Amino acid sequence: MGWLILLLLIVTCVAALRLFGVRGGALTAGAAALLFGAAGYALQGSPSLSGAPAKRDRTSTVVPLTQARHAFFGNFSAAESWVRISEALASDGQDEDSVGILQNAVRRYPGDQHLWIALGNALVDHAGGLTPAAELAYRRADQVLPNRPAPRFFYGLALARSGQKERAVELWREILAQAPADAKWRPLVEQGVQALSVPATLAPRASP
């Protein structure tokens, strides 16, 4: 069953890339990324085993990473295939491979802001908090396209996930102050600010 799911994922991603007009070298690179991830999974994973809930707890994030990523970059950006493979590896507990995929991606496409942010997120996941390497990835993302909100938002999310909630709220409020009223990602940032601004004593307790 695992092999079938893996094959369907590859076919779906390639079809989606073609549907949204990705052709030529970009399509080839995306397909190569998918095949590379599949090969790594085949070598190190266990696709023949039945599915089981992931043992990693990534629910502590204030805003789900995938939701935030799609809000800022859409569902089918040029970097999507790389990031999906990285997320799949991470959900299987293969954090080093998850980071490695994105390190290869930014070496090939150093001008892709989305990939640099994804690398920062993966490094935070791998370390369980913000690290100098992750901070560097977010800075590189900001340098690629200066004055865009995405690097600062995800840096703030990394701060929040590392226990620095006040700094995250401060940064996100700065983003909101500069954001257009109709920015499609604005509600997501507002949601994050509201969530972090709720006193711990009033925040709902997780079910045992």
Side-chain angles (χ1 to χ4, degrees):
M1 188 63 179
W3 286 110
L4 179 59
I5 294 174
L6 183 61
L7 178 60
L8 288 175
L9 176 62
I10 293 174
V11 172
T12 301
C13 289
V14 172
L17 289 172
R18 288 184 60 84
L19 179 64
F20 282 83
V22 179
R23 296 290 189 276
L27 181 60
T28 301
L34 289 167
L35 291 173
F36 180 76
Y41 181 56
L43 289 173
Q44 301 184 38
S46 300
S48 60
L49 298 181
S50 59
K55 295 182 179 180
R56 299 183 56 83
D57 180 11
R58 299 177 188 272
T59 61
S60 60
T61 56
V62 178
V63 178
L65 282 175
T66 301
Q67 178 186 352
R69 182 163 59 78
H70 289 167
F72 280 94
F73 296 104
N75 293 357
F76 296 99
S77 70
E80 185 71 14
S81 58
W82 295 90
V83 181
R84 282 183 179 272
I85 293 171
S86 175
E87 288 178 343
L89 290 169
S91 67
D92 194 44
Q94 301 180 58
D95 279 356
E96 291 187 9
D97 291 334
S98 172
V99 170
I101 284 285
L102 294 172
Q103 287 175 331
N104 288 333
V106 296
R107 278 195 288 268
R108 290 191 181 191
Y109 307 104
D112 192 310
Q113 185 182 72
H114 187 177
L115 287 175
W116 281 109
I117 289 174
L119 176 58
N121 295 339
L123 288 166
V124 171
D125 279 341
H126 180 46
L130 191 60
T131 65
E135 290 189 353
L136 176 60
Y138 293 126
R139 285 200 301 270
R140 290 295 299 273
D142 189 52
Q143 292 168 1
V144 168
L145 292 173
N147 302 319
R148 298 291 181 90
R152 289 182 294 155
F153 171 79
F154 285 96
Y155 177 63
L157 189 55
L159 288 170
R161 297 168 68 193
S162 304
Q164 302 181 56
K165 296 183 179 181
E166 292 183 359
R167 288 186 60 193
V169 169
E170 181 180 354
L171 183 58
W172 287 350
R173 283 177 173 162
E174 290 176 3
I175 293 174
L176 288 173
Q178 301 168 5
D182 59 348
K184 62 181 181 181
W185 43 262
R186 186 182 182 100
L188 193 73
V189 183
E190 293 173 340
Q191 173 188 331
V193 170
Q194 182 178 10
L196 292 185
S197 299
V198 175
T201 55
L202 299 180
R205 294 183 178 179
S207 301

Coordinates of all heavy atoms in Angstrom, one line a residue, residues 1 7 11-13 42 53 77 82 86 115 141 155 178 188:
M1 N 0.8 -1.2 0.0 CA 0.0 0.0 0.0 C 0.9 1.3 0.0 O 0.5 2.3 -0.6 CB -0.9 0.0 1.2 CG -1.9 1.1 1.2 SD -3.1 1.0 -0.2 CE -4.1 2.4 0.1
L7 N 3.6 6.3 -5.3 CA 3.4 6.5 -6.8 C 2.3 7.5 -7.1 O 2.5 8.4 -8.0 CB 3.1 5.1 -7.4 CG 2.9 5.1 -9.0 CD1 4.1 5.7 -9.7 CD2 2.5 3.8 -9.4
V11 N 2.7 11.1 -9.2 CA 1.9 11.3 -10.4 C 1.0 12.6 -10.2 O 0.9 13.4 -11.1 CB 1.0 10.1 -10.8 CG1 0.0 10.5 -11.9 CG2 1.9 8.9 -11.2
T12 N 0.4 12.7 -9.0 CA -0.4 13.9 -8.8 C 0.4 15.2 -8.8 O -0.1 16.2 -9.4 CB -1.1 13.7 -7.4 OG1 -1.9 12.5 -7.4 CG2 -2.0 14.9 -7.1
C13 N 1.6 15.2 -8.2 CA 2.4 16.4 -8.2 C 2.8 16.8 -9.6 O 2.8 18.0 -9.9 CB 3.6 16.2 -7.3 SG 3.2 16.1 -5.5
A42 N 12.6 5.0 -0.6 CA 12.7 3.6 -0.8 C 14.0 2.9 -0.1 O 13.9 1.8 0.3 CB 12.8 3.3 -2.3
P53 N 0.2 6.4 12.6 CA 0.3 7.8 12.9 C 1.8 8.2 13.2 O 2.5 7.4 13.8 CB -0.5 7.9 14.2 CG -1.4 6.7 14.2 CD -0.7 5.6 13.5
S77 N 3.4 26.7 -6.2 CA 4.6 27.5 -6.5 C 5.6 26.6 -7.1 O 5.6 25.4 -7.1 CB 5.1 28.2 -5.3 OG 5.8 27.2 -4.4
W82 N 9.6 20.3 -4.1 CA 10.7 20.2 -3.1 C 10.2 20.2 -1.7 O 10.6 19.3 -0.9 CB 11.7 21.3 -3.3 CG 12.4 21.3 -4.6 CD1 12.1 21.9 -5.8 CD2 13.7 20.6 -4.9 NE1 13.0 21.7 -6.7 CE2 14.0 20.9 -6.3 CE3 14.5 19.8 -4.2 CZ2 15.1 20.4 -6.9 CZ3 15.6 19.3 -4.8 CH2 15.9 19.6 -6.2
S86 N 10.2 17.3 1.3 CA 10.8 17.5 2.6 C 9.8 17.3 3.7 O 10.1 16.7 4.7 CB 11.3 19.0 2.6 OG 11.8 19.3 3.9
L115 N 12.0 28.5 -1.0 CA 12.9 27.4 -0.6 C 13.7 27.8 0.6 O 14.0 27.0 1.5 CB 13.8 27.0 -1.8 CG 13.1 26.3 -3.0 CD1 14.1 26.1 -4.1 CD2 12.6 24.9 -2.5
A141 N 16.4 34.4 2.8 CA 15.1 34.6 2.1 C 14.7 36.1 2.0 O 14.2 36.5 1.0 CB 14.0 33.8 3.0
Y155 N 9.9 33.8 10.3 CA 10.9 34.0 11.4 C 10.2 34.2 12.7 O 10.6 33.6 13.8 CB 11.8 35.1 11.1 CG 12.8 35.4 12.2 CD1 13.8 34.5 12.5 CD2 12.8 36.6 12.9 CE1 14.7 34.8 13.5 CE2 13.7 36.9 13.9 CZ 14.7 36.0 14.2 OH 15.6 36.2 15.2
Q178 N 2.2 47.4 8.3 CA 2.6 47.7 7.0 C 1.8 47.0 5.9 O 2.0 47.3 4.7 CB 4.1 47.3 6.8 CG 5.0 48.1 7.8 CD 6.4 47.5 7.8 OE1 6.7 46.6 7.0 NE2 7.2 47.9 8.7
L188 N -4.3 35.4 8.6 CA -3.4 34.4 9.2 C -2.5 35.0 10.2 O -2.3 34.5 11.3 CB -2.6 33.7 8.1 CG -1.9 32.4 8.5 CD1 -2.9 31.3 8.7 CD2 -0.8 32.0 7.5

